[in-house]
Amino acid sequence: MTSGLTHSTDVFVIGGGPAGLAVAIAARRRRFEVTVADRSAPPIDKACGEGIMPDGVAAARALGISLEAAGARPFGGIRFCEQDLAVEAPFPHGVGFGMRRTALHKLMVERAAEAGVRTMWGASVTGLERDGVWVAGEFVRARWIVGADGGNSTVRHWAGLDACAHQNRRYGFRSHYRIAPWSDFMEIHWGEGCQIYVTPVSGAEICVVLISRDHRQRLDHVLPRFPELARRLAAASGRSSERGGVSASRRLRRVSRGNVALVGDASGSVDAITGEGLCLLFQQAVAIADSLEAGDLSHYQAAHRRLGRRPELMADLMLLLDRHGPLRSRVLHAFADRPRLLSRMLALHVGELSFLDCAANGLALGWQMLTS
Ligand SMILES: Cc1cc2nc3c(=O)[nH]c(=O)nc-3n(C[C@H](O)[C@H](O)[C@H](O)COP(=O)(O)OP(=O)(O)OC[C@H]3O[C@@H](n4cnc5c(N)ncnc54)[C@H](O)[C@@H]3O)c2cc1C
């Protein structure tokens, strides 16, 4: 792998998480010279549900990243569970994949190395100027600068891009359980004020995430309210320590200014329950590379807005169900009575249905709820 300090580069990427590496790979494929700096060293871990939906799998493939070849665990659809009710739908095409976050990072670091990306691990970026960045005490000149430094982005602040159109936060806590997945679906277990979602990440391990608005809430506190899930998890032969993170719903007014662009969580995010964070950043990476090639980041601004619309809509729907228990119960019963409604909702979620079809599905769902 190319590594170490350089004094100039076409593109300097601040942050070597999934977003930074995805941009680096996309820009290298357009023949830009690219340097990535991250203050941590690989493989970098992070609280994540570790599920990638079929649209995310396709977006990763477009960057030359094959999750299946890296041993990720496929899942065929989504199952919603609440008390005794369980409704499920398969994806319209393809499968999603579950994969430990560290395994995904390792895979992306390898792909970046193959693409010829220069990397600086254990190197903090401490300042931004018009024509470059300060990293590890040295100045590196760069024509383009990409902030991929996560939800608490400092680059966002330095570039004056902090203004939000919308902001909301929840808290997620993740644990791995050593147990063979009991289902080929990703499961979302709904409870009052929280959800637990379960993703198979290998033939012998699952990833379990609790997500709620209360930062003090932990899996062990709420599990008694999910007896069926608690019973299954009790059979696990081991459990990792818990890792927490903020699941922000954040839409920025702007994601680029001059020669600086933001990507991934630095550029805003959708609630983690959608499982669309990684898909979005893979798609944004390609959009940035297109704009760099065109020499104009304003194209990226428009593409970023377009890419975010569908996941934001899905997040709004899921958060509506989170807040309104009686409505959620009626919706889940309507899905149970007419499984096609859930299939179409899932098709919209993974980008296989238009907004018009979505409106028609919404009307059919409303009618089902009124008449059942
Ligand atoms: C609880 C939870 C569950 C989730 N579940 C899913 C899911 O199932 N599926 C899904 O697709 N998405 C999920 N997401 C969202 C997904 O995890 C994020 O969208 C994704 O991690 C964002 O990646 P990133 O590269 O933008 O940021 P990060 O992964 O946060 O990377 C930012 C990097 O920048 C580095 N950095 C920061 N500042 C500096 C600096 N000054 N100098 C150098 N380096 C710096 C950091 O060290 C870090 O490595 C979940 C999120 C949460 C919180």
Side-chain angles (χ1 to χ4, degrees), residues 275-290:
E276 283 287 306
L278 293 163
C279 174
L280 259 177
L281 62 86
F282 292 141
Q283 294 173 335
Q284 291 163 359
V286 174
I288 288 201
D290 287 345

Side-chain angles (χ1 to χ4, degrees), residues 17-19 22 46 48-53 55-57 59-60 63 67 97 99-101 104-105 108 264-265 270 272 274-285:
K46 195 189 158 179
C48 184
E50 303 179 338
I52 303 172
M53 301 291 162
D55 48 340
V57 176
L63 289 167
L67 303 173
F97 280 101
M99 185 177 200
R100 283 286 285 250
R101 180 68 179 217
L104 175 68
H105 195 252
M108 294 189 69
D265 283 7
V270 289
T274 60
E276 283 287 306
L278 293 163
C279 174
L280 259 177
L281 62 86
F282 292 141
Q283 294 173 335
Q284 291 163 359

Side-chain angles (χ1 to χ4, degrees), residues 202-216:
S202 79
E205 194 172 44
I206 58 171
C207 176
V208 180
V209 173
L210 165 72
I211 183 154
S212 79
R213 290 174 204 280
D214 182 352
H215 64 90
R216 292 160 307 183

Side-chain angles (χ1 to χ4, degrees), residues 28-88:
R28 272 303 295 148
R29 290 166 75 120
R30 313 296 170 98
R31 307 215 170 278
F32 287 97
E33 200 185 327
V34 187
T35 303
V36 176
D38 198 294
R39 61 186 173 203
S40 302
I44 301 175
D45 203 0
K46 195 189 158 179
C48 184
E50 303 179 338
I52 303 172
M53 301 291 162
D55 48 340
V57 176
R61 202 176 292 129
L63 289 167
I65 300 166
S66 165
L67 303 173
E68 47 273 61
R73 169 88 184 183
F75 55 91
I78 303 286
R79 175 178 295 150
F80 283 171
C81 310
E82 183 166 31
Q83 293 171 355
D84 294 335
L85 188 69
V87 285
E88 63 188 39

